[in-house]
Amino acid sequence: MLSHRCPVNCDFCCVYPPSVDRLSVGECAQWIRQAKKSGRFKYIEFTGGDPFCEYDSIVEVMRGASALEYAYGMTTSAYWAGSREETLAKMKTLKGLGLVRIGISCDPGHQANVPISNVRMLADISDELGLEVTVSGTFDDPSKNLETYLKENGFALGQNIKLKTRYILPYGKAEKKCVGGNMRKYGLMADLGNMYCQDSSYYAPSIYPNGDVYPCCSVANAASPLVMGNLRKDGFDEVMLRVFGNFFFRVIKREGFQGLVDICEKYGCSIRSYLPDMDEICDTCDLCITLMGNLEARELIERAMSAYGIDLLDDIFDALSPDSLKT
């Protein structure tokens, strides 16, 4: 996130209150080079705010990093895409610099400020250029979805364009608008055994405009206690090691939250008494924040993860050289 700048005023925005901080072109270029050197990153996403508020700076960053051959993505409300000529020119420029994906927001909240024709303009042009296009809608009614919303507004998008429906969660501006019980409200399955942190192979550390780094791209980051460091103060490799080397994140991705509970119990660090009512949480991110925001639960989790990590390393060493490494 170069900045939180955005001309759209959605009443459920997760980036609230917006920061006045801003990343410089030089900082972004430096961190992208370090990301490439680390070998851990294959893709970079520009978000916000709306990254098209920082279009010139992002173009400068991408041009400076063109030799690194990164694939890029961006997410926007399409507030700027009213002219076909301007939209085509900007998207051609971005594609030439490595853009492969565009995400577009489309729902009643965004369309209160952005003509829905802009969404269609940007989606169609991006599709014509061969970009991966995902249009996402965020709703507060489980009976509504993006497909229905588009039909109600009189148009459909191309068959190559992915549609994604989300629901409003009580973070940021929506904290008081949409409080608790979302699992029940949206008819979602509130089962600890089915709750995982994104894809097991998918890590998406997020860099905020003040340099803070979060381990994921969750809409709940504004309320998250999981700040892994600040790139303006800490070294890039040091901060990313805290993300990729953290057994808690690996467990909730690969074993899920039920696996986390079981592992904690195995090492005498039960966290069951700290689990919230599963029907009252909003999503996996809410569960994560609830546990890690509780100092006692977090200490138990960290103790269990330390013991678990040592056992895993012992198993690896034993498997590699069972005779010479045993003591």
Side-chain angles (χ1 to χ4, degrees):
M1 293 183 189
L2 268 73
S3 77
H4 284 164
R5 290 174 58 200
C6 181
V8 184
N9 188 30
C10 297
D11 62 2
F12 58 86
C13 182
C14 63
V15 182
Y16 187 82
S19 168
V20 297
D21 292 303
R22 184 178 183 276
L23 298 179
S24 70
V25 169
E27 288 174 322
C28 294
Q30 175 187 348
W31 296 333
I32 288 174
R33 287 194 297 271
Q34 290 175 313
K36 187 69 174 182
K37 185 178 179 180
S38 75
R40 295 185 180 276
F41 301 91
K42 298 179 180 179
Y43 175 84
I44 293 173
E45 178 91 10
F46 292 104
T47 63
D50 193 309
F52 278 83
C53 289
E54 305 289 349
Y55 174 81
D56 291 339
S57 294
I58 288 175
V59 167
E60 187 176 349
V61 169
M62 292 170 71
R63 279 183 175 146
S66 60
L68 301 178
E69 298 183 344
Y70 258 126
Y72 296 90
M74 297 176 76
T75 300
T76 179
S77 67
Y79 76 90
W80 53 275
S83 159
R84 178 173 176 81
E85 291 73 20
E86 179 184 357
T87 303
L88 182 59
K90 284 187 173 181
M91 296 311 293
K92 278 186 174 180
T93 296
L94 292 169
K95 182 184 178 183
L97 294 171
L99 189 75
V100 298
R101 193 200 79 86
I102 188 76
I104 311 169
S105 300
C106 179
D107 49 57
H110 286 87
Q111 268 48 74
N113 299 276
V114 179
I116 198 168
S117 58
N118 286 26
V119 173
R120 185 170 192 173
M121 175 86 72
L122 179 56
D124 287 346
I125 287 175
S126 299
D127 187 32
E128 291 169 12
L129 291 174
L131 299 176
E132 178 186 329
V133 184
T134 301
V135 178
S136 300
T138 305
F139 302 86
D140 64 358
D141 184 340
S143 69
K144 295 184 178 179
N145 56 57
L146 183 56
E147 291 88 342
T148 301
Y149 179 70
L150 292 174
K151 289 178 181 178
E152 289 173 351
N153 282 274
F155 70 87
L157 296 171
Q159 62 179 4
N160 294 327
I161 297 173
K162 300 176 182 177
L163 303 182
K164 182 178 292 186
T165 296
R166 297 189 175 102
Y167 297 106
I168 294 175
L169 299 173
Y171 307 119
K173 264 190 185 178
E175 182 177 2
K176 294 181 180 179
K177 175 182 178 180
C178 187
V179 180
N182 282 31
M183 284 290 191
R184 282 201 304 265
K185 176 178 178 180
Y186 297 138
L188 303 176
M189 183 176 291
D191 182 349
L192 194 66
N194 292 318
M195 301 190 77
Y196 290 75
C197 175
Q198 299 178 331
D199 188 286
S200 63
S201 62
Y202 178 72
Y203 281 79
S206 295
I207 304 172
Y208 272 56
N210 65 350
D212 281 348
V213 177
Y214 291 85
C216 59
C217 56
S218 169
V219 298
N221 277 344
S224 173
L226 297 175
V227 179
M228 308 310 293
N230 185 289
L231 292 185
R232 287 175 170 165
K233 301 174 184 177
D234 308 315
F236 182 91
D237 291 339
E238 177 185 349
V239 174
M240 293 307 162
L241 181 60
R242 295 173 192 162
V243 176
F244 290 95
N246 190 302
F247 278 100
F248 168 70
F249 302 138
R250 290 181 177 269
V251 167
I252 61 175
K253 282 178 170 295
R254 299 181 182 184
E255 308 293 334
F257 280 89
Q258 183 62 64
L260 175 71
V261 171
D262 294 342
I263 290 170
C264 286
E265 287 197 346
K266 176 181 177 181
Y267 293 98
C269 301
S270 178
I271 58 173
R272 287 190 182 276
S273 62
Y274 298 98
L275 291 172
D277 181 341
M278 296 304 294
D279 283 335
E280 290 300 321
I281 66 168
C282 302
D283 64 345
T284 304
C285 298
D286 193 20
L287 176 58
C288 178
I289 289 174
T290 299
L291 288 174
M292 298 306 281
N294 183 299
L295 293 180
E296 293 179 357
R298 184 166 183 166
E299 182 180 348
L300 289 168
I301 290 170
E302 289 175 348
R303 281 168 47 195
M305 293 300 100
S306 178
Y308 176 64
I310 291 172
D311 280 353
L312 286 180
L313 289 174
D314 282 345
D315 290 344
I316 291 172
F317 290 150
D318 286 349
L320 289 174
S321 183
D323 294 324
S324 62
L325 294 178
K326 283 184 178 178
T327 59

